[in-house]
Amino acid sequence: MKTKKIYGFAAPCFVALFSCLLTAQVTVPTYQYDNSHSGTNTNETILTPSNVNVSQFGRKMVFPVQGYVYAQPLYVPNLTIGGTSHNVLFVATEHDQLYAFDVSSGQTLWHTNFLANSGLQLVVSPVLSSDVNCTDLVPEIGITGTPVIDTATNTLYVSVETKQYNLQTQVKTFYHKLHALDITTGLDKVPPHTISALARGIGSGSIGGTISFNTLLANQRASLLLVDGQVFVGFSAHCDIGSFHGWLMSFDQNSLAPSGVFIDTPNGYEGGIWGGGSGPAADAAGSIYATTGNGWFDVNNGGIDYGDSVLRLTWSGSGLAAADYFTPWDQQTLDDHDTDVGSAGVVLLPDQSGPYPHLLIQVGKEGTIDLINRDNMGHWHSGNDDQIVQTLPIVIHGVWGGPAFWNNNAYFGGFDDHLKVFSFNPQTELLSTAPTSQSPEQFNYPGQTPVISSSGANNGIVWIIETDNFDNGGNAILRAYNAGNLATELYNSQQNPARDQAGLPAKFSVPTVADGHVFVGAQQQVDMYGLLN
C-alpha cells in the first residue's frame, strides 16, 4: 500500500542554552498552515494573551517589496543559505516578484524577478486589471495564489501570470507558468511549465466538442496544494467575464509534467475554483476537496457539471476524477443571485471518534454553514439539506477565504459582519446553532480569514487583517482576539499608529504567525510584529 505524503508544519523543539524555556519552531509551508486548512499554529509558545498588548507587542520590522502581497507569506526556520542558518520569510507579489528575507536582520537573502525580458523585441510584464476588464485584483495581476513549499526537497512551487508584448508586432500574449524553485537560491530546479489544457465538453467556449484552457480569462486565485507527489493548481475567472470554467490541474512535483486535468462544468458554464485565496484541501488518504462557484449544475440528472458544489476528488496515474460531492438544495437560486458556494474554501476537521470520523466545514457567499461527512457527502437533495450532518442557514454573512478550526471551535470572518466562533461538540458531532462569542467590531467586504496561534489547547489567540479600508485609502489593521472569547480584543495596530501602523491593505491577505512573529502582507511591503523586548 502506497503511503500518502501530506505536507503540514513540523515542530522540532530546541532548548536555548542557559534557559529552561522550551520554544517550538514551526514551518509554514502552505496556506493556513496545513493541507487541512486548519488555520492553526498550536506550537506558538512566545505570544500569549498576557503579552499581546500595545505595551509589549508591536511592529518591529518592514520588508519592502514590489507589488501587492495577496498571497499568504510562508516561513521556514533554520534554513541553510550560503553556509549560514536563517529563519526565512517567503513573500510573493502581484508584480511577479518572489523574495526570501532573513527575519532577524531583514536581509534579502535572494530575490527572483519573473519579468526578465525574452529578447530585444519582447517585453514581459504583469497582467493589468485593464487587460482583463476587471478590478477584482488591482492594479496588476502576477502571483495571486499562495505558493507551497516542500521542505523535504527545499522546493517552492509558484504559479506566475505574465504577459509578453512584442514591440514589433504589438501583440500581447498571456501566460500562466508553474515554477519549482530552490528555496536556498530562488533559482528554477527544472524548466518552468507553461500551463495549457484541453478537455472534452460541449459547454461554453467549446469548439468541436473540445474546451481549451483560456489563459487570459483564467484567474489563478486559489492557493496551491502539494500532496502525493503532485502540485495542484486551481483556476477561476476575472469578474465572471467570458466563457470560462473551473479548472483543477495536477503536475508532477519533480518534473512539472502535467498529470491530470479536471474541469467542473464541461457541458455547462462557469463554476470557477475561487476560494477568496483559499484553495483545495487534502486529507491523510490523499483525497482532495475543492469548492466551485456559480455555474451549471446537472449531476443530479445524470450530468457531469458541478456548479456551486463541494467536491471530493481523487488523483491517480490516469488523472483527476470526482468521487463524491455535496450541492445545496437551493443551488439554482445561488446561481441566479451570484451567491456561490465557492467564494471560500473548506476546513477539514481532525478525525472524530463518533459515527462521522471525517468531517469538513464549508460556507460561501450565502452565509450558510454546512457540516459535511467526507465519507458520504450527500449529493443534492430536493427542498432541504437534511442529508448532510448539519446545516445552519444564513447564520453569518458571506465568506471570502476560509474558516479556521481550533480546540473544537470554528471561526468565521464574514463580510459586513462580526468575527464569530461556533463551538463543536465532539460527542454529538454538531456545531452550536448560534455563535458562542463574537468581536465587538463589524467588518466590511471582503471580511477576514482568521488564523489561530496557541500552545496546544492553551493561550489561543485569533489573528485577522482588517482590509475593508482597501477601497478608501485606509491602512490595513492587524487585530488579535482572545480565542476563548472574541469579545476581548487583545491588540490592534491602530492603538499606537505612530509605531505600529501597517501598510495599505491587500485584499484577501492572511496573517502568518510563527516563532513569536506575525507577518502582515500589504501593498509594497510586509510588516512584522512581535514582542518589543
Side-chain angles (χ1 to χ4, degrees):
M1 179 179 177
K2 189 174 181 180
T3 300
K4 301 289 184 180
K5 197 173 186 181
I6 303 292
Y7 294 85
F9 59 78
C13 291
F14 301 88
V15 179
L17 190 63
F18 306 118
S19 172
C20 61
L21 178 64
L22 187 66
T23 302
Q25 290 192 290
V26 304
T27 299
V28 185
T30 191
Y31 183 86
Q32 284 190 297
Y33 294 94
D34 49 46
N35 280 357
S36 67
H37 290 181
S38 69
T40 302
N41 169 8
T42 58
N43 291 281
E44 178 54 59
T45 59
I46 298 173
L47 302 176
T48 69
S50 64
N51 61 27
V52 174
N53 56 64
V54 72
S55 298
Q56 298 172 269
F57 178 89
R59 192 175 75 168
K60 302 183 69 174
M61 193 177 295
V62 176
F63 303 99
V65 299
Q66 290 180 285
Y68 289 19
V69 182
Y70 281 88
Q72 183 175 3
L74 303 178
Y75 177 80
V76 177
N78 301 317
L79 179 65
T80 300
I81 297 178
T84 303
S85 179
H86 300 269
N87 295 333
V88 185
L89 181 73
F90 298 91
V91 179
T93 80
E94 294 289 358
H95 194 64
D96 288 313
Q97 309 294 306
L98 188 63
Y99 300 83
F101 294 107
D102 182 289
V103 302
S104 299
S105 65
Q107 175 189 1
T108 302
L109 300 169
W110 54 256
H111 167 210
T112 298
N113 176 12
F114 295 103
L115 301 180
N117 291 345
S118 350
L120 295 177
Q121 297 296 326
L122 301 176
V123 178
V124 181
S125 62
V127 177
L128 299 178
S129 303
S130 57
D131 290 322
V132 296
N133 297 314
C134 173
T135 57
D136 186 30
L137 303 173
V138 293
E140 54 191 4
I141 307 162
I143 302 172
T144 307
T146 299
V148 63
I149 296 173
D150 180 5
T151 55
T153 61
N154 282 346
T155 307
L156 182 147
Y157 301 91
V158 60
S159 174
V160 180
E161 185 170 0
T162 59
K163 69 180 177 189
Q164 186 172 277
Y165 181 67
N166 189 308
L167 295 174
Q168 185 173 10
T169 64
Q170 298 186 349
V171 172
K172 297 177 185 177
T173 307
F174 298 87
Y175 297 95
H176 288 276
K177 292 187 178 182
L178 181 63
H179 291 257
L181 305 180
D182 186 329
I183 62 173
T184 67
T185 65
L187 300 177
D188 284 299
K189 286 189 161 187
V190 295
H193 176 77
T194 300
I195 295 175
S196 63
L198 296 173
R200 301 297 301 171
I202 58 173
S204 60
S206 172
I207 299 177
T210 299
I211 300 173
S212 298
F213 175 72
N214 188 313
T215 302
L216 178 59
L217 295 182
N219 179 0
Q220 206 293 287
R221 180 165 156 184
S223 55
L224 275 60
L225 172 70
L226 178 62
V227 61
D228 198 27
Q230 306 298 312
V231 182
F232 295 89
V233 187
F235 295 89
S236 55
H238 299 282
C239 291
D240 290 344
I241 293 173
S243 299
F244 73 92
H245 302 269
W247 297 80
L248 184 65
M249 304 181 195
S250 61
F251 304 87
D252 180 86
Q253 74 168 85
N254 295 315
S255 66
L256 301 185
S259 58
V261 174
F262 177 80
I263 181 172
D264 58 16
T265 53
N267 292 339
Y269 57 82
E270 300 183 1
I273 295 176
W274 302 84
S278 182
D283 63 21
S287 292
I288 301 153
Y289 300 85
T291 59
T292 70
N294 297 328
W296 185 250
F297 171 74
D298 61 8
V299 183
N300 58 316
N301 292 319
I304 54 174
D305 300 297
Y306 291 92
D308 288 304
S309 298
V310 183
L311 304 179
R312 177 166 65 86
L313 300 120
T314 57
W315 179 89
S316 65
S318 58
L320 277 162
D324 202 355
Y325 77 96
F326 163 71
T327 305
W329 71 275
D330 57 346
Q331 182 276 331
Q332 188 60 61
T333 300
L334 300 180
D335 188 22
D336 292 342
H337 294 88
D338 189 29
T339 47
D340 48 318
V341 168
S343 66
V346 302
V347 58
L348 309 185
L349 273 59
D351 287 357
Q352 305 297 313
S353 59
Y356 306 115
H358 305 129
L359 294 167
L360 70 78
I361 293 174
Q362 188 278 332
V363 59
K365 285 186 188 178
E366 188 183 46
T368 293
I369 299 173
D370 291 315
L371 182 64
I372 302 168
N373 176 10
R374 305 200 308 262
D375 298 323
N376 183 3
M377 297 181 70
H379 297 184
W380 179 86
H381 182 263
S382 178
N384 57 55
D385 291 327
D386 288 349
Q387 81 279 23
I388 64 174
V389 177
Q390 186 182 21
T391 185
L392 302 174
I394 315 179
V395 290
I396 58 174
H397 290 185
V399 171
W400 280 256
F405 191 83
W406 172 76
N407 206 25
N408 287 322
N409 290 285
Y411 298 82
F412 303 90
F415 86 99
D416 196 24
D417 202 352
H418 305 267
L419 180 67
K420 294 178 177 178
V421 57
F422 291 71
S423 64
F424 175 77
N425 186 324
Q427 280 71 49
T428 63
E429 295 187 314
L430 297 174
L431 292 164
S432 60
T433 57
T436 54
S437 69
Q438 65 182 33
S439 66
E441 298 80 16
Q442 186 170 320
F443 304 101
N444 297 322
Y445 177 81
Q448 327 80 37
T449 295
V451 301
I452 295 97
S453 66
S454 72
S455 178
N458 301 311
N459 293 327
I461 300 174
V462 180
W463 304 87
I464 62 167
I465 303 173
E466 183 180 353
T467 62
D468 52 14
N469 293 321
F470 183 81
D471 293 324
N472 61 24
N475 291 75
I477 303 174
L478 174 66
R479 294 183 181 272
Y481 296 90
N482 188 313
N485 183 1
L486 295 180
T488 302
E489 185 181 48
L490 305 172
Y491 167 87
N492 75 69
S493 56
Q494 289 298 100
Q495 291 172 332
N496 186 346
R499 183 191 68 197
D500 294 348
Q501 183 167 272
L504 295 174
K507 190 164 54 175
F508 311 124
S509 58
V510 181
T512 299
V513 187
D515 294 351
H517 309 297
V518 182
F519 303 100
V520 175
Q523 299 178 25
Q524 315 292 340
Q525 68 189 62
V526 173
D527 300 288
M528 185 180 81
Y529 295 79
L531 298 183
L532 298 174
N533 295 316

